[in-house]
Amino acid sequence: AKLYRYLKDKAKPPNLNMTFSGKPKEVLLRHIHPGMTLTQAWVNRKMTTFDYLMHLNLIAGRTFNDLAQYPVFPWVLRDYSSPKLDLKDPKTFREFQWPIGAQLSTQRKQLADKYNSFAGLLDDEILPYHFGSHYSTSAMVIWYLIRMEPFTSYHVWLQDGKFDFPDRLFNSLEATWKGCTTNFQDVKELIPEFFAIPEFLENVNGIDMGTRQDGQRLKGVVLPIWCKDAHDFVRKNRDALESEYVSRNIHQWIDLIFGYKQRPSHVIGGSDHAKDAFNVFVHLTYSDAVNVEEIKRSDPLLYSQTIRQIDNYGQTPCQLFDKPHPERVPIDQVDIIWPIASIITGVDTIPRSSSYRTAPLDKPSKILCYGEFKVSNSPILLIIECRTLEKLVTVDSTRVIGYHFFQPRLPDIVPPYLIKIDKYSFIASSNSASLSSEQTQKSKPLSRYLTSHSTQREKLAGVPFASEGMLSQNNTYIPEAAGAVGGGARSKVHSAFLSDSRASWVGTVKNKLIYLEEENELRNNTSSKSVNNARKANHTSAQSSSSSSSRAPSHSISVSIASSTATSSKSAASNTMFAPIPVRQAVTATDTVTSVSDVADNSKDDVSETASVTSMGNSGVGMYDDSQRTHQQLMSKETITPKPPKLRDYMGKQKVPSSNLSSKSSSLSNSKANAVVKKSSSSKETYPTDSTSLGASSSSSMKVSRPKDRVDEHLSGNLFALLPDTKLLFSCGHWDNSIKVTAVDSGLLIQSISHHRELVTCVCLASDFGKHWLVSGSKDCIVIVWEVFPDRENDPVNAIPFNFLYGHDDCVNSVAVHAELDIIVSGSDDGTIIVHSLREGQYLRSILVGSRPPPSLDSKASSSSGNNNSGYYSNSSNSSSSNLKGGVSLPSTPVTRTVPATAVSHTPRHGQLQHQHHLRSKSTKRRVHLLCISPEGYIVTYSNDGHLLCTYSTNGRFIDMTDVRERLYALCMSEDGKVVLTGGERGLVVFRWVTTLCIANNGSRDGLDCVADGSDEKNIGPFASPIRSLFLTNQERHLIVGLESGHIRILAQDSEYLRRKLHKKLMEIGILNM
């Protein structure tokens, strides 16, 4: 049941949350999709092919709870050897009209002869068939999933307490394909994991399965050369399943497995169509082929043998269709309304064959702004649509709630919405923001800026914010180098580090053009040679099991390693796929710095001796010189900078005015040599320090601009959460360490929840089938889950917490929750994100943000060290050190090795399972500020420390990272989970692929706008201020952007393509003339 729920949730399951009852053929006639049956929804492209096949499997009685009746999926590709996968070439795909064992014409001739020879026997006990084996058996499922538990144990039990011979185990996709298409006794189809769960291809548990006769040690599955890892293979295999060629031909495979070509004529309900399609199996695999009850009464021994044969030999699914399955509508005949961010599957895979030639697809040319509205004088931190109420809720940094009328209209109408601004919220915001003028800031304490004065109709969320407590969560006070290490003052700087030139681009057309040029230069700088080397290594050697270090008590520097010694080579270290993080030098908490004069005298020698003291690169695209360094250079002892101040230095009276900084100290922070330090006997975790090290895109010709502090910059959308249809707004960050529940329509305070011991810093909501959960994070390092009952008038939040989640060592800054995936992800100042289950509160794993797999874990090193590139993550239990029953020895007990100050040592609080963090030389802690979860199971995280945007799988696998070269304030996930939208101080909405974090201007989004500047090319110019919030409306018809200036802008796709399409149709039917 758990496996079913996990696979269903992993596979983007909006159409799978249902219970089927009744006869299978009757279920197919129900209107499962609004106004359509299941088949009609797929035919008209209202449902993906993956979802449709899952539906058919479940309706036909297939289940994840019975290995003998496991869901069946087709082999889609036949090309497993080309260096590049071409989904536009029909030769890339299998022949769907024939079974997997009859792909070749020579095979079909042999099968026909075999069938006729059996038919000539005229023996009732030996009925004719084409294949003596089946495409779906319990042994086949275990064979595919041998690297995952519990299937590893099932395999050992099946083989009498040991693994089968290594040469007979699942090792290579290409070899498996060749075996299934050449051997009549091996006609396996695929299972859903090939399209949803990459971990089954990796030996994440470090299982020793032996060595093949050719000397190759079994590790991960050898993948095709056109993919770089298991995650990439599953993505491309899924794309192939959704491609246009498969969409136009998969109905033939459905006829073989679930349709009228399934049953032969000698079985009840069969016909000769199965014979003509070479699709006849042994008669016992079909339901109702024999009368089992009669055999049970007449011959119990035969009954037992028959049951065992049916259970182990394979079972054909129930027949669902008596007639040929309808073809899918070609993509050019579908009325496509392009969403803003999500993709239209198959648009980039139209085959080049003349038989599949389609008319060019009309696409929107640009995302246009259809209106700008002033709703506040303060930054807009939250925007959410209450669709059933036709309302749009906004919350600004002064806690003023705006309750605006908003009604979407058809996308071809201009403007595609109706809106009426709540004027009372604007009045309240004006009164609240009036205290934040520049003159007031100079004369009044900060705490008064955050207190709103009441107006007659104002609606406020909760009570005033805790000013000092919230400021400590922000980068507002950044220590200068001299101040940090010399005990001097700290300069008060702005947390946004745009250069003067970039700041001048904001609000101009040049801003978008230059950003695209920067992205193109970044993409071109990626070494294709390294990528090809990694792919070749992945093809020639299987991936090996990863070793994860178990966390030790904080006073220890010893770690446990459960694998053989990892080897690293120079070639692996220079692989740009796993290049070191481009961060500035960092100093440890115990390092001391010499005098300024000593720095001046020694800086020249230091620069010549090591590359670790070079300044940031002059690339003009915001990259550092560190990106060109080798791993050894970055991890050298000289890679150090001044230490940061402690938390009390941010908050307490120890803060020294910036005017006390000496000129030498000020100049030191931006020099090529940040500092020369004396190393002590031990080292600890380090932090980025000055503005440059926090991700500034600067060069020698660009000075970092440091505008004056804004009192609201430390506030974000993490402070609010809204349950739309119930009008309940949840807020945190208040001075009394509570969570407030406010009615958005009236502004009345409904409930106050106080359970955290310190300031509550973030909240998030999740809903699933009428159940609602509120998740809160706090400076007390605890995450609490609350049950929400919206029907209650007075106390909608249950006063007794649903779950307490522990594990963080520092303040929790951001939380994200996904009810369908049943996970909660929390990010903290300690540089980690921790994954818990939502309903059970179980600890799953920890991920160190900003970490990449070291060179010893890349594909090249794995071939020699035996380590699998299965990710840079930790699990709640170390399965690699356990031994299977039945005499099978897994890797030996971990040995303790002393690693000098490179491991993160930590013991989780409150008896929580030990975290296992990665080994990182001179690691730099990167605080987590923003989080979001993709429906496909990816975690996207952003850190202001280095401006790093990272993607990890929910299993902790590192996917990719990039430097966004600006401070981000908002992340927004597309409905399909393929694209993430970012907005920040640059004043641009950037669309990035979740899995690669590249600009989403290729593939299914080729030709679509990938960077939106908020202009309409006529009356409205680009965004003139930083972006503070983003919101996508239902079906992604509108993108609503909240700005720091207090404006909201409503963006939508240019609808001219819809008018062109309508005009073309009217001409075709003769209503309009040329």
Side-chain angles (χ1 to χ4, degrees):
K2 289 185 178 180
L3 177 62
Y4 165 73
R5 184 169 60 251
Y6 174 76
L7 181 61
K8 176 176 69 69
D9 292 339
K10 186 83 173 178
K12 192 167 67 70
N15 301 311
L16 299 183
N17 295 316
M18 61 186 68
T19 301
F20 301 110
S21 60
K23 297 181 179 180
K25 294 181 181 179
E26 295 177 354
V27 174
L28 286 173
L29 299 178
R30 298 175 186 171
H31 283 196
I32 297 177
H33 195 276
M36 296 180 182
T37 63
L38 183 66
T39 301
Q40 290 172 346
W42 177 80
V43 168
N44 292 280
R45 294 180 180 266
K46 303 296 183 182
M47 180 183 296
T48 65
T49 301
F50 182 90
D51 284 351
Y52 183 58
L53 293 181
M54 283 299 302
H55 271 91
L56 295 183
N57 273 282
L58 297 178
I59 295 173
R62 313 302 284 188
T63 173
F64 294 99
N65 298 324
D66 186 355
L67 297 180
Q69 299 186 77
Y70 213 74
V72 185
F73 268 67
W75 283 92
V76 175
L77 301 170
R78 72 164 60 171
D79 184 4
Y80 294 92
S81 57
S82 298
K84 184 177 180 180
L85 184 65
D86 186 2
L87 297 181
K88 294 184 178 181
D89 186 359
K91 297 180 181 179
T92 302
F93 303 92
R94 67 169 281 182
E95 297 288 343
F96 287 97
Q97 69 269 33
W98 308 116
I100 189 63
Q103 292 291 297
L104 305 176
S105 58
T106 55
Q107 290 178 305
R108 293 191 286 272
K109 185 178 183 304
Q110 296 176 17
L111 290 171
D113 295 340
K114 177 181 179 180
Y115 186 90
N116 293 331
S117 64
F118 280 112
L121 295 177
L122 298 178
D123 190 344
D124 294 338
E125 296 182 359
I126 304 178
L127 300 177
Y129 57 84
H130 291 114
F131 301 104
S133 60
H134 201 260
Y135 52 78
S136 177
T137 64
S138 57
M140 177 208 76
V141 175
I142 296 173
W143 191 79
Y144 277 138
L145 303 178
I146 186 175
R147 291 168 175 82
M148 288 175 55
E149 286 290 2
F151 305 100
T152 306
S153 298
Y154 290 162
H155 173 86
V156 172
W157 173 80
L158 191 65
Q159 297 294 327
D160 295 329
K162 61 182 182 299
F163 283 106
D164 197 1
F165 292 106
D167 291 84
R168 296 201 299 219
L169 298 179
F170 182 33
N171 179 58
S172 167
L173 280 169
E174 183 179 5
T176 302
W177 162 259
K178 291 180 179 178
C180 293
T181 54
T182 56
N183 184 1
F184 292 148
Q185 301 302 318
D186 185 10
V187 290
K188 298 184 293 290
E189 289 283 5
L190 299 185
I191 53 179
E193 283 81 352
F194 278 86
F195 306 91
I197 302 180
E199 284 78 13
F200 85 99
L201 298 170
E202 300 173 329
N203 191 5
V204 296
N205 293 321
I207 301 171
D208 184 4
M209 295 182 290
T211 303
R212 295 165 57 89
Q213 292 183 8
D214 58 5
Q216 179 185 359
R217 192 173 185 82
L218 284 185
K219 306 168 188 173
V221 176
V222 178
L223 303 174
I225 196 173
W226 43 255
C227 65
K228 61 182 181 181
D229 55 26
H231 286 260
D232 192 36
F233 169 79
V234 168
R235 287 195 297 269
K236 291 180 177 178
N237 205 34
R238 180 74 169 268
D239 290 341
L241 181 66
E242 306 294 344
S243 65
E244 183 64 10
Y245 179 88
V246 177
S247 296
R248 302 277 290 274
N249 292 276
I250 193 67
H251 64 279
Q252 301 178 83
W253 182 85
I254 295 175
D255 289 335
L256 295 173
I257 307 300
F258 304 102
Y260 76 108
K261 295 181 180 180
Q262 182 199 82
R263 300 171 70 88
S265 57
H266 54 263
V267 177
I268 299 175
S271 66
D272 288 335
H273 294 294
K275 172 188 173 182
D276 298 336
F278 305 96
N279 193 41
V280 181
F281 298 87
V282 176
H283 69 286
L284 288 179
T285 62
Y286 300 98
S287 60
D288 300 328
V290 294
N291 192 335
V292 180
E293 294 299 327
E294 182 178 347
I295 297 176
K296 183 178 181 180
R297 290 192 300 267
S298 61
D299 192 341
L301 180 59
L302 179 59
Y303 168 79
S304 177
Q305 295 174 352
T306 303
I307 292 299
R308 285 199 300 270
Q309 185 173 358
I310 293 175
D311 187 43
N312 297 308
Y313 200 85
Q315 302 177 41
T316 302
C318 296
Q319 185 176 358
L320 302 179
F321 304 98
D322 297 325
K323 299 178 181 179
H325 192 282
E327 298 183 25
R328 205 174 198 187
V329 176
I331 195 169
D332 62 326
Q333 299 180 17
V334 179
D335 290 331
I336 299 177
I337 299 179
W338 291 85
I340 289 180
S342 295
I343 67 172
I344 303 295
T345 57
V347 296
D348 59 328
T349 59
I350 298 176
R352 289 185 288 267
S353 175
S354 59
S355 58
Y356 294 93
R357 187 172 299 167
T358 59
L361 298 177
D362 287 323
K363 295 183 179 181
S365 58
K366 188 180 179 183
I367 298 176
L368 299 179
C369 177
Y370 287 91
E372 182 181 55
F373 306 94
K374 183 76 171 179
V375 299
S376 174
N377 281 331
S378 301
I380 306 300
L381 302 183
L382 179 72
I383 303 174
I384 290 187
E385 176 194 14
C386 300
R387 185 158 50 98
T388 59
L389 304 175
E390 294 187 342
K391 293 292 183 179
L392 186 70
V393 177
T394 60
V395 183
D396 65 14
S397 61
T398 60
R399 301 180 292 109
V400 174
I401 303 171
Y403 198 55
H404 320 282
F405 171 79
F406 181 79
Q407 183 183 73
R409 298 199 294 178
L410 296 176
D412 57 344
I413 299 177
V414 179
Y417 59 86
L418 294 175
I419 189 170
K420 183 178 180 181
I421 300 300
D422 181 4
K423 61 180 181 180
Y424 298 108
S425 66
F426 179 73
I427 296 173
S429 173
S430 300
N431 293 336
S432 300
S434 62
L435 296 175
S436 300
S437 62
E438 184 176 350
Q439 294 78 9
T440 308
Q441 293 180 28
K442 295 180 180 179
S443 59
K444 295 187 177 182
L446 182 62
S447 59
R448 295 193 58 184
Y449 306 158
L450 304 177
T451 305
S452 299
H453 285 197
S454 299
T455 62
Q456 184 177 1
R457 295 292 301 274
E458 70 180 5
K459 298 185 287 288
L460 297 178
V463 297
F465 293 124
S467 56
E468 289 292 335
M470 294 302 298
L471 280 173
S472 67
Q473 297 308 117
N474 188 50
N475 287 341
T476 303
Y477 293 96
I478 302 298
E480 290 286 10
V485 298
R490 294 171 179 83
S491 175
K492 183 180 179 183
V493 298
H494 192 268
S495 61
F497 298 113
L498 282 182
S499 62
D500 292 334
S501 59
R502 283 194 172 90
S504 64
W505 300 334
V506 177
T508 66
V509 179
K510 185 179 180 181
N511 190 21
K512 177 179 177 179
L513 299 177
I514 294 178
Y515 193 92
L516 290 173
E517 291 178 0
E518 294 174 358
E519 284 294 329
N520 289 333
E521 187 170 349
L522 282 175
R523 187 175 299 181
N524 293 335
N525 287 339
T526 303
S527 174
S528 60
K529 180 179 180 180
S530 298
V531 175
N532 291 334
N533 290 340
R535 290 175 177 173
K536 291 179 180 179
N538 186 22
H539 177 67
T540 56
S541 64
Q543 300 179 355
S544 60
S545 58
S546 63
S547 60
S548 56
S549 58
S550 57
R551 307 187 76 178
S554 57
H555 61 273
S556 173
I557 59 173
S558 299
V559 295
S560 295
I561 302 176
S563 67
S564 59
T565 304
T567 61
S568 60
S569 62
K570 292 183 179 180
S571 59
S574 59
N575 191 335
T576 59
M577 289 181 62
F578 299 137
I581 307 169
V583 296
R584 296 280 294 180
Q585 303 89 329
V587 71
T588 61
T590 56
D591 291 335
T592 57
V593 180
T594 60
S595 64
V596 175
S597 59
D598 293 336
V599 173
D601 295 336
N602 298 329
S603 60
K604 182 177 180 180
D605 296 334
D606 291 334
V607 171
S608 62
E609 289 177 0
T610 176
S612 63
V613 291
T614 57
S615 62
M616 290 187 301
N618 299 328
S619 60
V621 294
M623 295 298 290
Y624 306 118
D625 282 340
D626 292 351
S627 62
Q628 305 299 325
R629 301 184 197 171
T630 64
H631 182 268
Q632 290 83 353
Q633 287 174 324
L634 280 171
M635 299 304 143
S636 62
K637 293 183 179 180
E638 289 81 8
T639 308
I640 43 180
T641 53
K643 66 179 180 180
K646 298 181 180 180
L647 187 60
R648 63 175 180 268
D649 296 331
Y650 285 125
M651 302 174 58
K653 296 181 180 179
Q654 302 164 350
K655 200 162 44 185
V656 183
S658 59
S659 58
N660 293 342
L661 284 174
S662 64
S663 59
K664 291 183 179 180
S665 300
S666 177
S667 62
L668 178 63
S669 61
N670 291 321
S671 64
K672 289 186 177 181
N674 286 340
V676 176
V677 301
K678 295 180 179 180
K679 294 293 295 178
S680 62
S681 58
S682 62
S683 58
K684 297 182 180 179
E685 216 173 14
T686 58
Y687 304 74
T689 55
D690 57 4
S691 60
T692 303
S693 66
L694 289 176
S697 301
S698 64
S699 63
S700 58
S701 62
M702 294 183 183
K703 295 183 179 180
V704 177
S705 63
R706 292 179 177 177
K708 296 181 178 180
D709 275 333
R710 295 188 301 271
V711 298
D712 49 27
E713 190 188 28
H714 56 287
L715 306 177
S716 70
N718 293 337
L719 301 173
F720 306 98
L722 179 69
L723 204 56
D725 297 337
T726 61
K727 306 179 184 178
L728 297 180
L729 175 68
F730 302 84
S731 60
C732 65
H734 304 295
W735 63 269
D736 58 354
N737 300 341
S738 66
I739 302 172
K740 305 294 184 183
V741 185
T742 308
V744 295
D745 55 344
S746 63
L748 296 177
L749 181 63
I750 298 177
Q751 186 180 6
S752 179
I753 309 107
S754 298
H755 216 289
H756 285 282
R757 293 171 293 182
E758 293 190 45
L759 182 70
V760 184
T761 56
C762 50
V763 290
C764 187
L765 281 166
S767 301
D768 189 32
F769 287 95
K771 293 184 178 181
H772 309 277
W773 297 272
L774 174 69
V775 183
S776 60
S778 170
K779 291 182 68 176
D780 60 10
C781 310
I782 300 175
V783 177
I784 299 181
V785 184
W786 313 80
E787 288 183 296
V788 180
F789 302 94
D791 298 335
R792 296 180 183 175
E793 294 184 1
N794 297 326
D795 298 318
V797 179
N798 195 347
I800 302 176
F802 182 68
N803 268 322
F804 287 89
L805 310 179
Y806 303 99
H808 286 294
D809 290 336
D810 211 331
C811 170
V812 179
N813 287 329
S814 181
V815 291
V817 57
H818 201 290
E820 290 185 351
L821 298 179
D822 192 36
I823 59 172
I824 297 173
V825 180
S826 55
S828 170
D829 271 350
D830 62 11
T832 64
I833 54 179
I834 297 182
V835 185
H836 290 88
S837 61
L838 170 61
R839 293 168 176 83
E840 297 181 1
Q842 182 181 1
Y843 168 80
L844 299 179
R845 59 190 52 85
S846 297
I847 305 171
L848 189 60
V849 172
S851 61
R852 298 187 188 218
S856 61
L857 290 183
D858 70 6
S859 56
K860 282 188 176 184
S862 66
S863 62
S864 59
S865 66
N867 291 331
N868 179 29
N869 179 17
S870 59
Y872 209 21
Y873 59 92
S874 60
N875 296 325
S876 58
S877 61
N878 187 2
S879 58
S880 63
S881 62
S882 61
N883 292 325
L884 292 176
K885 296 181 179 181
V888 180
S889 298
L890 291 182
S892 59
T893 304
V895 295
T896 301
R897 301 176 185 159
T898 301
V899 181
T902 57
V904 179
S905 299
H906 168 66
T907 300
R909 305 180 181 184
H910 304 279
Q912 192 71 7
L913 290 173
Q914 285 193 344
H915 302 177
Q916 300 172 356
H917 282 268
H918 327 121
L919 295 178
R920 294 178 60 191
S921 300
K922 302 297 179 188
S923 63
T924 300
K925 179 189 292 186
R926 299 190 180 277
R927 296 167 291 173
V928 181
H929 295 92
L930 298 175
L931 280 173
C932 61
I933 304 174
S934 163
E936 294 190 328
Y938 293 104
I939 302 170
V940 180
T941 178
Y942 167 74
S943 173
N944 285 335
D945 304 335
H947 297 171
L948 278 184
L949 191 67
C950 306
T951 301
Y952 296 88
S953 72
T954 51
N955 286 325
R957 171 68 184 267
F958 168 80
I959 304 299
D960 216 323
M961 70 168 58
T962 188
D963 177 8
V964 295
R965 307 180 310 284
E966 63 171 327
R967 170 167 180 168
L968 299 182
Y969 295 103
L971 294 180
C972 182
M973 188 68 65
S974 63
E975 290 184 356
D976 63 358
K978 303 285 187 182
V979 179
V980 61
L981 285 67
T982 65
E985 61 184 358
R986 189 73 177 263
L988 295 171
V989 180
V990 182
F991 298 73
R992 296 181 181 273
W993 296 114
V994 168
T995 54
T996 64
L997 297 178
C998 294
I999 294 294
N1001 61 350
N1002 57 350
S1004 300
R1005 287 186 52 84
D1006 186 23
L1008 301 179
D1009 216 353
C1010 60
V1011 177
D1013 61 0
S1015 64
D1016 66 351
E1017 298 181 343
K1018 294 182 180 179
N1019 303 320
I1020 303 177
F1023 297 122
S1025 66
I1027 295 171
R1028 298 299 293 269
S1029 54
L1030 296 170
F1031 179 75
L1032 285 169
T1033 62
N1034 184 47
Q1035 297 180 347
E1036 298 186 10
R1037 296 289 185 260
H1038 313 87
L1039 172 62
I1040 306 178
V1041 182
L1043 301 179
E1044 193 168 274
S1045 60
H1047 293 82
I1048 62 171
R1049 289 198 185 186
I1050 305 178
L1051 282 63
Q1053 294 281 17
D1054 181 13
S1055 59
E1056 183 61 30
Y1057 77 99
L1058 293 174
R1059 288 185 282 274
R1060 290 196 303 266
K1061 184 181 292 187
L1062 177 61
H1063 186 271
K1064 182 179 179 181
K1065 286 187 176 181
L1066 293 177
M1067 291 179 59
E1068 290 177 353
I1069 61 179
I1071 296 180
L1072 293 179
N1073 297 323
M1074 295 295 293

